[in-house]
Amino acid sequence: MEPREIQSPEPVVSEVNLNISHRKKLSIHFAESDERGFPWAIGGEYVASGTTPVTIRGKPIENLSQTGGWVAAFFIFGNEMAERMAYFGLSVNMVAFMFYIMHRPFTSSANTVNNFLGISQASSVLGGFLADAYLGRYWTIAIFTTIYLLGLTGITLCATMPIFVPDQTNCSKLATLLGTCAPAKSWQMLYLKTVLYIAAFGAAGIRPCVSSFGADQFDERSPNYKSHLERFFNFFYLSVTIGAIIAFTMVVYIQMKHGWGSAFGSLALAMGISNAIFFVGTPLYRHRLPGGSPLTRVAQVLVAAFRKRNVPFSSSELVGLYEVAGKRSAIKGSGKLEHTDDFRCLDKAALQLKEDGPEPSPWRLCTITQVEEVKILLKLLPIPACTIVLSLILTEYLTLSIQQAYTMNTSMGHFKLPITCMPVFPGLSIFLILAFYYSTFAPLARWLTGHPHGASQLQRVGLGLAISVLSVAWAGAFERYRRNYAIEHGFEALFLTPMPNLSAYWLLIQYILIGVAEVFCIVGLLEFLYQEAPDAMRSVGSAYAAVAGGLGCFFATMLNNVINGLTGNEEEGKPSWLSQNINSGRFDYFYWLLTLLGMMNFFAFLFFAKRYKYRVRNTTQVQML
């Protein structure tokens, strides 16, 4: 960020009581010509101030009624639906592709896919950074959807052209299970991992921007803004769910009937169509100006606070707290932020001393708004961090529950559901909940809580975390019953043979519970991060959720490796909890370990959520922006 972005030729400062014995709270009073507004509470929560929407060329929009709104949002929903379809399509099919076609061990294949899932989410902070700092959300989405499409095209070529896969002759199902098929050459695996991670990189750029860009289409000055925003995030996650349902059903069907090339090709085709639809909607979109490098602004605050760490708030050299003149913040794309008493050590970055001069260096003196941006980012961190365990549980479900389903009967009358379609049930439960949310769940929640929106954002996140604990606890109890049933009926060694009298539909209980948990937790988290993040860092704020999801995937791989190492011993013939033979392993112990982690995580969330203070919105600023 250039120095001129935070410097003011006419600095305005506040007077600070120099008598430290009074211990008055630090505050900033902007010298402006208009009267200062009062904090505006909406539904018991406080939302952040916004900025003036602009055209794609950066010019103010003369007639807002011709842009944005639900019409523009639906173009964005299509892009997210295709991205999620590709994401889940790869997650559910790539393990099997690597195992059956590339002849890689199951554990190695699962870890590669977990790494793909983790990279595509944890590196989302890069996409958020580029959007907030330089490109804006529209161009970031446009660039990274193209990269995503290139990765999916490369994966399709790998599944279509024999040169990219090992020899498949004399490779029966038994030979695959025994590991005697011709292994993939090193360059073939390098190619597959390269295009897979290119797709992951594309997803990382899209994910933190799509939800924020869609929310940008609604006018913050509208009296219905809060309800529009809540509905948007519900519909946004509904589009995510539809993409997942298509991946778990139609893509699996295409793979079974027409092969791997057609399955992966359908994902590339869907992404190409969604890209075209996204670009068609370009004239309708509202944009927000990027505010410059958020990392630079954060670094400046930290450096300035460190340089003045020994300056007391009662110093005789103290002029006041530094802020620019006028109504607007010096940071493009951001309104001014009220001073708070959190992280008082960072306030020293805004202490203006006489020695700073009329044109201080941004590495020595920062505005109050810039300091408050850093405070907000720090205050937000614990909330998405508490969703890492939920992501870990979801990642484990993708593999563990599939292994459970292989040992059970998936028939319902004359209809037999493919094993790889089992993860569709959490998606279906999410779809039903979101479809009936406003007609059933929201009125019931309002009646129970008295909250105008049923529950606050943090309450919804907490409810989701609590339900996820119930889900994994039930999974542990049922797995204990399933394992005992297999041993009693002589199926202990037949771990790939379905037991005819034990229905796989008992798994629906844990699937439905985790689907409900995901709705409340993730939707509430996305809405919370968008409203609470600094105006010029909303993509980075949304990236917090994706990063938490990515860390959950990485932690799942780490936890699996630790459990295998601690509980199993190949030399002694002792199977680990996560043995490939699920009937000799102890998946029930593993589920109960996840239950314990989930409970500890839930109590940690309660601790941080109880202490969190929602941001304050200034009505005068909102009317002006």
Side-chain angles (χ1 to χ4, degrees):
M1 182 179 66
E2 298 296 331
R4 59 185 173 81
E5 290 184 21
I6 70 161
Q7 292 179 347
S8 171
E10 300 176 16
V12 178
V13 298
S14 67
E15 295 184 359
V16 180
N17 192 332
L18 301 181
N19 186 354
I20 197 169
S21 63
H22 289 136
R23 306 296 300 170
K24 287 187 177 180
K25 294 182 179 180
L26 290 173
S27 60
I28 184 70
H29 300 277
F30 302 129
E32 299 173 348
S33 58
D34 60 324
E35 295 182 2
R36 298 183 60 202
F38 295 98
W40 184 20
I42 301 182
E45 302 172 9
Y46 297 98
V47 294
S49 60
T51 55
T52 304
V54 296
T55 66
I56 194 171
R57 300 182 182 276
K59 297 180 180 179
I61 300 175
E62 296 182 359
N63 189 351
L64 289 177
S65 63
Q66 297 179 356
T67 61
W70 286 106
V71 175
F74 278 109
F75 282 96
I76 298 168
F77 289 149
N79 183 269
E80 179 63 13
M81 188 184 304
E83 191 276 322
R84 292 285 87 184
M85 176 180 166
Y87 176 84
F88 288 109
L90 291 176
S91 67
V92 75
N93 286 295
M94 188 53 67
V95 173
F97 177 77
M98 286 189 173
F99 182 74
Y100 289 109
I101 304 300
M102 303 304 289
H103 306 151
R104 300 292 298 170
F106 180 82
T107 303
S108 174
S109 302
N111 286 342
T112 299
V113 173
N114 281 349
N115 290 336
F116 159 75
L117 300 176
I119 290 173
S120 68
Q121 296 187 76
S123 58
S124 295
V125 69
L126 174 63
F129 168 78
L130 291 175
D132 286 340
Y134 305 112
L135 300 177
R137 289 185 260 278
Y138 172 85
W139 288 112
T140 303
I141 295 172
I143 292 171
F144 281 91
T145 52
T146 305
I147 295 174
Y148 207 155
L149 180 59
L150 290 176
L152 293 173
T153 303
I155 294 172
T156 303
L157 292 176
C158 180
T160 304
M161 303 178 67
I163 190 175
F164 290 115
V165 298
D167 185 14
Q168 304 296 316
T169 57
N170 301 320
C171 188
S172 63
K173 183 176 181 180
L174 178 60
T176 301
L177 293 175
L178 295 176
T180 59
C181 294
K185 297 181 176 63
S186 58
W187 71 266
Q188 291 172 332
M189 285 305 302
L190 177 63
Y191 172 80
L192 177 58
K193 289 183 178 180
T194 298
V195 293
L196 185 63
Y197 293 145
I198 287 175
F201 183 66
I206 298 171
R207 187 167 294 112
C209 301
V210 177
S211 61
S212 297
F213 188 55
D216 288 344
Q217 305 310 310
F218 298 95
D219 188 0
E220 290 184 321
R221 295 168 293 186
S222 168
N224 297 322
Y225 172 70
K226 184 65 172 65
S227 60
H228 283 319
L229 199 64
E230 183 181 353
R231 287 177 180 269
F232 165 77
F233 280 106
N234 280 339
F235 281 120
F236 174 81
Y237 210 71
L238 185 63
S239 68
V240 171
T241 304
I242 294 173
I245 292 173
I246 294 173
F248 292 137
T249 53
M250 292 182 60
V251 176
V252 170
Y253 175 81
I254 291 172
Q255 185 275 316
M256 295 176 64
K257 293 294 184 180
H258 304 286
W260 295 102
S262 298
F264 293 136
S266 66
L267 301 179
L269 179 63
M271 181 58 68
I273 293 174
S274 76
N275 286 1
I277 293 174
F278 176 77
F279 291 124
V280 166
T282 298
L284 299 175
Y285 300 142
R286 298 174 183 176
H287 305 263
R288 303 295 172 101
L289 293 173
S293 171
L295 294 183
T296 301
R297 295 202 300 276
V298 170
Q300 287 173 343
V301 170
L302 297 179
V303 170
F306 179 79
R307 295 176 69 173
K308 293 183 177 178
R309 64 190 183 280
N310 295 324
V311 178
F313 290 113
S314 59
S315 172
S316 60
E317 294 293 315
L318 178 64
V319 177
L321 294 175
Y322 180 66
E323 184 54 85
V324 296
K327 299 177 180 179
R328 298 183 182 276
S329 163
I331 302 169
K332 290 188 296 183
S334 175
K336 280 184 175 179
L337 298 175
E338 297 283 351
H339 175 266
T340 64
D341 291 321
D342 301 306
F343 302 105
R344 285 173 59 93
C345 59
L346 295 178
D347 285 333
K348 296 205 172 178
L351 292 182
Q352 185 172 21
L353 307 177
K354 295 177 181 178
E355 63 186 51
D356 289 327
E359 295 185 1
S361 166
W363 294 94
R364 183 173 178 82
L365 182 64
C366 304
T367 63
I368 280 292
T369 296
Q370 189 175 347
V371 172
E372 291 301 319
E373 279 189 329
V374 180
K375 290 183 181 181
I376 291 171
L377 291 180
L378 291 175
K379 288 189 292 185
L380 287 178
L381 269 177
I383 304 302
C386 288
T387 65
I388 292 175
V389 173
L390 174 64
S391 175
L392 187 154
I393 292 172
L394 290 169
T395 304
E396 297 291 4
Y397 268 176
L398 282 176
T399 54
L400 300 184
S401 61
I402 290 295
Q403 287 182 263
Q404 287 178 297
Y406 268 115
T407 70
M408 303 168 70
N409 183 8
T410 60
S411 298
M412 183 178 290
H414 297 291
F415 174 73
K416 183 177 177 62
L417 185 71
I419 298 295
T420 49
C421 288
M422 290 300 291
V424 74
F425 289 107
L428 289 175
S429 65
I430 293 172
F431 179 85
L432 292 174
I433 291 170
L434 291 176
F436 293 101
Y437 183 84
Y438 290 103
S439 61
T440 304
F441 292 98
L444 178 61
R446 282 195 294 268
W447 179 75
L448 291 174
T449 65
H451 192 283
H453 301 285
S456 70
Q457 297 150 0
L458 290 181
Q459 287 172 341
R460 280 180 278 158
V461 173
L463 180 60
L465 294 179
I467 296 175
S468 72
V469 175
L470 294 177
S471 172
V472 76
W474 162 261
F478 177 73
E479 171 55 23
R480 185 178 183 86
Y481 172 81
R482 189 212 60 79
R483 181 179 182 274
N484 290 339
Y485 184 94
I487 294 173
E488 291 172 2
H489 291 78
F491 285 91
E492 183 173 5
L494 306 176
F495 64 95
L496 290 181
T497 301
M499 295 176 282
N501 295 322
L502 186 60
S503 175
Y505 294 99
W506 280 105
L507 297 174
L508 291 186
I509 296 176
Q510 66 199 55
Y511 280 145
I512 291 173
L513 286 174
I514 200 64
V516 174
E518 199 173 350
V519 167
F520 285 107
C521 184
I522 304 302
V523 175
L525 179 65
L526 289 174
E527 185 180 342
F528 169 78
L529 290 174
Y530 180 81
Q531 291 197 10
E532 293 298 300
D535 297 332
M537 295 185 181
R538 280 178 167 169
S539 296
V540 172
S542 297
Y544 272 13
V547 170
L551 291 177
C553 296
F554 287 132
F555 287 159
T557 300
M558 293 171 57
L559 183 61
N560 290 347
N561 292 337
V562 170
I563 292 300
N564 281 324
L566 292 178
T567 62
N569 191 320
E570 293 183 1
E571 296 179 356
E572 299 179 0
K574 179 183 177 182
S576 73
W577 287 2
L578 300 178
S579 171
Q580 186 160 311
N581 181 350
I582 185 176
N583 294 331
S584 61
R586 297 308 305 242
F587 278 29
D588 52 341
Y589 290 171
F590 188 73
Y591 277 131
W592 286 334
L593 174 62
L594 293 179
T595 303
L596 178 61
L597 292 176
M599 291 178 62
M600 295 169 59
N601 177 75
F602 175 69
F603 288 120
F605 170 80
L606 292 180
F607 174 83
F608 290 114
K610 186 176 181 180
R611 286 158 179 77
Y612 186 83
K613 296 179 181 178
Y614 284 94
R615 285 181 59 192
V616 175
R617 178 175 183 167
N618 189 299
T619 53
T620 305
Q621 280 188 356
V622 174
Q623 293 170 357
M624 172 273 299
L625 291 169

